[in-house]
Amino acid sequence: MSSSNKQSAKQSGVGQTGKRALLMASTAMAIFYGVSAAHAQSSGGATPATNAAQAERRAFNIPAQSLSAAVGAFGRQSGLQVTLASPASGSVRTNAVTSSLTVQEALTQLLGGTGITFRFAGNGRSVVIGANQAAADVPSADGSTMLETITITGKSGRNAASGAGYQGTPDWVYETPASVSVVSREAIQSDLGARDVRDLFDNVAGTYVNNSVANSPAVSPNVRGVQDMGRVVLSVDGARQNANRTISAGGDSYIGSSGKGYVETSFIRAVEVERLTGAKSGLAGSLAGAVTFRTVGADDIISDGKDWGVEIDTTVGTNNQHFNGSILASKRMGDSPFSITGGFARQKLGNYKIGSHGDIEWDGDEDGEVTFMQRDNMSSLLKLEGDFGDVTTGVAWTHQKKDFAWFMGGLSDEEATVNTVTANLDWNPVDNDLIDFRSTFWLNDTMEETLRHTRGGAAGYPDTLISADFMSFGINIDNTSRFETAIGPATLNYGVEAFRDHGNSSASSTSIDVWPELASNFTSFSPAGRRDMASLFVNGDIEPTDWVKLSAGLRYDWYRLKGSPKYYDYRDRVNYIASAVTTEYDYVATYDPARFASANAVLRNIWSTRQGEIYNGQFYRAGTTIAALSTLAGYPENTVNIDRSGGALLPSFTVEFTPVEWLRPYVSYSKSYRPPTVTEAFFAGDLPKDVSPLSVYAPNESLRPETAETWEIGANINFDGVFTEDDTLRLKVSAFNRKIDDLIVIGYFYPYAGSRQLQSYVNTTDATRMRGVELEGNYDTGRFWVGGSATWLDAEWAQKVPSTWYGQTVSSDNVQMYSSVGVPPKLKATLDAGVRFLDNKLAIGGRVTHSTPTLSQVKTFNPDGGYTSNKYTKLDLYGSYQFNDRTTLRLSIDNVTDINHVPAGSRYPSPGRTFFASLNVRL
């Protein structure tokens, strides 16, 4: 757990892309205001609950359950903000409330006989629920009981920003029968060594990412050995980051695939990692789960009792960590239900030095070795939120501009411009448990411009500018209904989601100006095309007893691929040879009668023996070449018109047991389905070169979706008061077994009968199997904490692709390249511990990470090479001092022993020893 998390728990665009985003933001804003105004009129301008509202009767349907779970249900159904102030909430079980009552009557019935008291606060807008603590009870002026607050959250349930778990994981994670992890905002701000968002996953079980920064700041999480091409859905507030590049910039994966999601860490309030799929919103087309980034809002910036707030965060460091800072500001707009939040972030990094202890060898062409170069990033956020009680609305626009460079066989400069727009409308009437409606409309546009400077050699080329634009937009709608049945309380969630991906790219140089077909050698990275996806889903759960919950779901995923990729063949020159069709005698007599008349008998006799062919009024003797009828050497264009679709039904189920309040074992199954992406379906062209447009890659019209079946068993432990009244134990453990069929890889194939052999994305003929064990946990006494994570992963990768195509046999039926160059190591473990002093104002901690070598996926084709991965043990130290509620100083030393190592899942060495200092100020 992060150093100050326990303390806080106790106390409290450019160019076309910019124009598109502005248009989307304007449209979303209009919808936002229209819906909000309509609701305000219908509700008479109602604001959150007041004292008068406490007298209103509401329909409650809260089953008997743990106090922490009951608090979330009560908050949702009452419409009040609920604060739980109980040091032993995990051992308390509440009563069922299933009738129409006032909120005070409902609370009295809910907590009857438990010894837990409650009081209203904030002029009736919130309620504090907590245990009696006679020694700490202090009468207030109005006669109510003031409790010693142990846990304070402005939001409950899944919206909680942090909790007592590892890395500030909120308690709902330990009440969820699935492999889920959360990185809280407190943990994000405490991780000073995080040069970018990828580093946030270093300590998450079952999750990896290419976390060295020799390449672009893009992120593509690896979940249980699976990554890229939408296998793991990456989204920001529901907006998918679907951009992918087959041959990616900066060494993400030179051959293979690479996700290109861009996220600004400074704007993130929490990161949720789901390592399993299911029949719910946000998982259409996912093979292995989802990583969801949630951005900050006004509630995260504005302190209690104020209507505005500012947060300033500044980090500097050694090893060319020049500057990383942000400012966020929020304001509630008078008496209206609206609030506005704005933010700006800037990051400037230089060429870092790697560790000095230990050797890492480069394996491959020396020209491929990478120089770690600079990065200069700027991001901005604008968010408008409206809270009308039952209805909440919001619209947000995030703009990112990422400038970075690297050297790999030659210098490359890149600029990524990303615009993300989201608009949401949620409706959750407190008097109707059948309605808990949520909707999100989103757009994400990623424009990457790469300047590849002049390369020499046989396949060299002049300065070449590559522009790749990938736009996605979609909508998510779902509703949750809660009701009683004859055998117990039940919940039903159902909805629809749909999105469209559209890719396009271009390349320009002096060579391409002369020979336009050469552009295909550069645009093959990001082919043009379209993919549509739609999904219907329904899931539900029922609790026939208080110790078992049954859940099941079914979704139908549908996709369509549409595009016309082009690739180029080579055609040799074919000479037209004249045949013996006529004689020269007949030719002269017909075409030159004057000459024929003047010729003597001897010449005419010679003409009569010469045979040949007449073309365009000229006689060609047999065996000679008629140049005009010959076919010149060239590169004929092949256009493949693709328009196909498909779909699949995907079941899932979970059985959860609660033998005792603090222990929740479960077993689950899910089937998943991932259609080919734009990049995979329309892949065509070659590696960058200036010699010819001859293609090495061509689209595979027979490419099938991947499917997977995953079994998982696990358990959650949520225990308060283990050894003392104040200590907490949170533990999550899971084991899984996954089988993937039709894994999409790169291999040899023939695009049509009689064609030459090419490479493309193809399906494997044998299965890929993965199994593993994951553990995350945290024990916290208030004075000290011990937490960590561990992952063991074993993978058996498919080895074969089809050997024959259209009756032709490929030169090798082995997989030529998987979707990424490296896969996670067999074992990675992190131990995090620390202690607090001076009334928890000072916290000092350390973290040890051990990893076995990253396992290579490279088969027979590795043009640029990579650094040899090694086993390593890394030590980090960190500390913080909270001067007051507004100012916190954080210091850390990353890679204390200055080891030279390639991080788990990466290809390049991480920075050596680096010192960081950060100051966080809240106004």
Side-chain angles (χ1 to χ4, degrees):
M1 183 177 182
S2 58
S3 59
S4 58
N5 188 53
K6 185 73 173 184
Q7 170 71 6
S8 65
K10 286 192 172 184
Q11 297 180 344
S12 19
V14 179
Q16 291 299 318
T17 56
K19 294 177 181 177
R20 291 176 184 166
L22 284 170
L23 177 61
M24 289 299 303
S26 301
T27 304
M29 194 77 74
I31 297 173
F32 175 87
Y33 276 118
V35 172
S36 302
H39 181 77
Q41 291 174 1
S42 66
S43 60
T47 58
T50 62
N51 285 328
Q54 294 178 21
E56 297 180 2
R57 290 188 172 273
R58 304 169 185 266
F60 289 93
N61 184 10
I62 305 174
Q65 56 190 309
S66 67
L67 177 60
S68 59
V71 165
F74 177 80
R76 182 179 65 252
Q77 296 179 30
S78 68
L80 301 181
Q81 177 176 309
V82 182
T83 296
L84 177 62
S86 171
S89 62
S91 60
V92 176
R93 190 165 184 84
T94 61
N95 306 306
V97 181
T98 56
S99 56
S100 179
L101 303 168
T102 66
V103 292
Q104 183 162 350
E105 291 171 340
L107 280 170
T108 301
Q109 181 174 326
L110 184 75
L111 302 174
T114 64
I116 305 295
T117 63
F118 67 89
R119 67 178 177 86
F120 292 100
N123 197 26
R125 293 184 178 89
S126 63
V127 62
V128 178
I129 300 174
N132 283 321
Q133 300 181 36
D137 291 349
V138 179
S140 66
D142 61 3
S144 62
T145 301
M146 300 296 291
L147 301 175
E148 179 184 356
T149 302
I150 302 302
T151 303
I152 294 180
T153 59
K155 298 181 180 180
S156 60
R158 192 152 185 146
N159 289 322
S162 63
Y166 181 53
Q167 297 193 114
T169 300
D171 282 353
W172 67 262
V173 172
Y174 303 98
E175 299 168 358
T176 301
S179 47
V180 181
S181 297
V182 169
V183 183
S184 69
R185 180 159 176 79
E186 179 69 19
I188 293 171
Q189 292 181 326
S190 298
D191 191 357
L192 304 187
R195 288 170 62 105
D196 53 51
V197 72
R198 291 172 299 183
D199 296 322
L200 301 181
F201 299 96
D202 280 354
N203 308 315
V204 179
T207 308
Y208 306 84
V209 74
N210 187 337
N211 57 357
S212 65
V213 294
N215 47 16
S216 71
V219 59
S220 181
N222 183 302
V223 172
R224 293 176 167 175
V226 174
Q227 73 177 75
D228 289 330
M229 298 298 180
R231 293 182 176 93
V232 177
V233 175
L234 179 67
S235 66
V236 178
D237 290 336
R240 293 187 178 223
Q241 313 294 299
N242 285 348
N244 278 274
R245 297 184 74 176
T246 303
I247 305 168
S248 72
D252 290 350
S253 300
Y254 193 68
I255 298 293
S257 56
S258 178
K260 306 295 285 186
Y262 292 93
V263 181
E264 175 51 59
T265 310
S266 302
F267 301 156
I268 302 303
R269 75 182 299 267
V271 185
E272 297 177 14
V273 180
E274 298 179 82
R275 296 185 290 275
L276 196 68
T277 61
K280 60 180 182 178
S281 181
L283 291 173
S286 169
L287 192 74
V291 173
T292 303
F293 295 89
R294 304 198 183 279
T295 58
V296 296
D299 289 343
D300 301 299
I301 307 301
I302 301 176
S303 301
D304 293 339
K306 298 179 63 176
D307 63 358
W308 64 274
V310 176
E311 180 177 286
I312 303 171
D313 200 89
T314 303
T315 301
V316 295
T318 61
N319 203 359
N320 281 327
Q321 306 284 321
H322 299 308
F323 178 81
N324 192 354
S326 63
I327 180 170
L328 289 159
S330 296
K331 178 73 170 67
R332 302 199 192 279
M333 302 171 68
D335 294 331
S336 77
F338 295 106
S339 61
I340 188 168
T341 299
F344 178 79
R346 176 74 185 275
Q347 181 189 54
K348 190 172 181 59
L349 305 178
N351 187 357
Y352 64 81
K353 295 181 180 179
I354 62 177
S356 59
H357 297 152
D359 295 325
I360 297 178
E361 297 181 356
W362 173 263
D363 181 16
D365 187 348
E366 291 183 1
D367 289 338
E369 195 164 359
V370 174
T371 299
F372 314 112
M373 300 193 71
Q374 74 275 1
R375 186 187 305 173
D376 191 350
N377 302 333
M378 290 186 293
S379 302
S380 55
L381 168 71
L382 182 62
K383 178 181 286 190
L384 181 66
E385 300 167 281
D387 186 349
F388 300 87
D390 290 350
V391 174
T392 57
T393 57
V395 60
W397 175 29
T398 302
H399 174 77
Q400 301 178 72
K401 183 174 178 292
K402 312 281 190 179
D403 292 328
F404 51 98
W406 70 94
F407 188 95
M408 184 171 65
L411 180 64
S412 292
D413 295 296
E414 183 159 345
E415 178 182 290
T417 304
V418 184
N419 286 285
T420 304
V421 177
T422 59
N424 68 279
L425 170 66
D426 300 342
W427 178 33
N428 185 14
V430 296
D431 58 350
N432 191 338
D433 278 348
L434 297 180
I435 300 176
D436 186 355
F437 175 85
R438 295 173 296 177
S439 64
T440 302
F441 175 73
W442 57 269
L443 176 145
N444 189 80
D445 193 4
T446 301
M447 169 67 80
E448 294 179 310
E449 291 193 340
T450 305
L451 178 60
R452 298 179 69 96
H453 292 273
T454 301
R455 262 72 159 178
Y461 48 86
D463 285 1
T464 303
L465 179 65
I466 307 169
S467 298
D469 185 16
F470 199 96
M471 183 174 67
S472 302
F473 61 89
I475 188 169
N476 299 342
I477 299 175
D478 73 288
N479 183 62
T480 301
S481 299
R482 300 171 179 87
F483 49 90
E484 286 288 337
T485 70
I487 61 174
T491 301
L492 192 66
N493 172 258
Y494 44 91
V496 60
E497 61 178 309
F499 63 88
R500 169 172 289 181
D501 295 332
H502 186 272
N504 201 8
S505 60
S506 62
S508 60
S509 70
T510 55
S511 294
I512 294 173
D513 290 343
V514 176
W515 198 351
E517 288 81 2
L518 290 174
S520 66
N521 295 333
F522 301 88
T523 58
S524 57
F525 305 169
S526 306
R530 192 185 90 192
R531 181 177 74 152
D532 298 327
M533 280 210 70
S535 180
L536 297 170
F537 58 88
V538 58
N539 67 84
D541 59 65
I542 192 167
E543 297 182 58
T545 70
D546 59 0
W547 58 270
V548 65
K549 178 188 286 188
L550 307 176
S551 305
L554 183 67
R555 75 182 305 135
Y556 179 76
D557 280 0
W558 172 89
Y559 77 95
R560 181 186 182 189
L561 295 166
K562 186 179 177 69
S564 300
K566 301 176 181 179
Y567 66 98
Y568 296 91
D569 278 321
Y570 176 73
R571 179 186 60 215
D572 288 325
R573 176 184 176 90
V574 178
N575 291 327
Y576 185 92
I577 306 301
S579 58
V581 176
T582 186
T583 64
E584 190 173 5
Y585 179 93
D586 294 331
Y587 164 74
V588 176
T590 303
Y591 287 87
D592 195 353
R595 181 186 175 200
F596 182 82
S598 63
N600 57 37
V602 175
L603 184 57
R604 290 182 181 181
N605 186 53
I606 293 173
W607 288 344
S608 65
T609 62
R610 293 176 178 172
Q611 295 184 322
E613 189 172 341
I614 301 171
Y615 174 74
N616 199 25
Q618 184 175 350
F619 181 77
Y620 294 86
R621 295 178 61 180
T624 61
T625 298
I626 304 178
L629 296 178
S630 298
T631 302
L632 300 177
Y635 299 89
E637 176 185 289
N638 291 298
T639 300
V640 182
N641 294 312
I642 296 175
D643 189 350
R644 58 190 180 91
S645 60
L649 280 171
L650 308 170
S652 58
F653 71 83
T654 299
V655 181
E656 181 188 24
F657 304 94
T658 311
V660 292
E661 183 63 30
W662 51 268
L663 176 62
R664 295 186 176 190
Y666 66 89
V667 60
S668 63
Y669 164 85
S670 68
K671 185 174 183 179
S672 53
Y673 175 83
R674 186 191 71 88
T677 61
V678 168
T679 303
E680 293 166 322
F682 309 116
F683 183 37
D686 197 3
L687 298 176
K689 69 177 190 294
D690 206 15
V691 178
S692 75
L694 181 64
S695 298
V696 173
Y697 309 114
N700 175 12
E701 297 181 80
S702 303
L703 191 62
R704 300 184 302 277
E706 298 173 342
T707 59
E709 291 183 290
T710 304
W711 286 91
E712 178 177 302
I713 60 172
N716 291 302
I717 295 176
N718 188 336
F719 205 122
D720 295 336
V722 183
F723 302 109
T724 69
E725 289 186 355
D726 295 332
D727 66 352
T728 60
L729 175 65
R730 302 291 185 267
L731 183 64
K732 196 174 190 76
V733 60
S734 61
F736 75 95
N737 190 306
R738 173 179 290 142
K739 177 188 176 186
I740 303 175
D741 290 315
D742 292 323
L743 182 70
I744 297 177
V745 298
I746 290 180
Y748 292 119
F749 88 122
Y750 290 92
Y752 58 87
S755 70
R756 63 188 176 91
Q757 179 177 277
L758 295 168
Q759 290 190 36
S760 186
Y761 283 101
V762 297
N763 299 102
T764 57
T765 56
D766 50 340
T768 293
R769 299 179 185 273
M770 299 174 177
R771 60 190 66 86
V773 178
E774 301 154 352
L775 182 147
E776 277 188 6
N778 194 71
Y779 175 72
D780 199 319
T781 68
R783 169 55 64 90
F784 69 87
W785 72 90
V786 178
S789 66
T791 304
W792 176 82
L793 176 68
D794 182 50
E796 298 174 8
W797 291 90
Q799 302 293 315
K800 298 295 182 181
V801 299
S803 59
T804 59
W805 299 77
Y806 304 100
Q808 302 168 94
T809 302
V810 296
S811 59
S812 172
D813 62 356
N814 291 322
V815 173
Q816 296 302 299
M817 187 63 59
Y818 294 97
S819 59
S820 60
V821 175
V823 296
K826 275 188 174 291
L827 176 66
K828 182 185 178 185
T830 298
L831 180 65
D832 192 314
V835 62
R836 304 179 181 92
F837 303 97
L838 304 177
D839 293 328
N840 294 334
K841 291 183 178 181
L842 174 64
I844 300 174
R847 181 170 48 246
V848 177
T849 301
H850 176 77
S851 176
T852 57
T854 294
L855 305 176
S856 176
Q857 284 182 306
V858 176
K859 298 297 292 182
T860 60
F861 188 49
N862 186 23
D864 62 335
Y867 287 91
T868 302
S869 177
N870 59 340
K871 178 175 68 175
Y872 65 90
T873 301
K874 176 172 171 279
L875 172 65
D876 304 321
L877 297 177
Y878 59 89
S880 66
Y881 183 77
Q882 188 173 18
F883 294 96
N884 49 50
D885 292 341
R886 298 181 177 181
T887 308
T888 301
L889 173 68
R890 296 184 176 95
L891 302 172
S892 73
I893 308 175
D894 189 67
N895 193 0
V896 173
T897 56
D898 200 32
I899 62 170
N900 189 4
H901 69 291
V902 175
S906 183
R907 298 183 64 205
Y908 303 103
S910 272
R913 184 187 300 116
T914 307
F915 295 84
F916 293 93
S918 173
L919 186 66
N920 180 272
V921 178
R922 296 176 64 93
L923 304 176

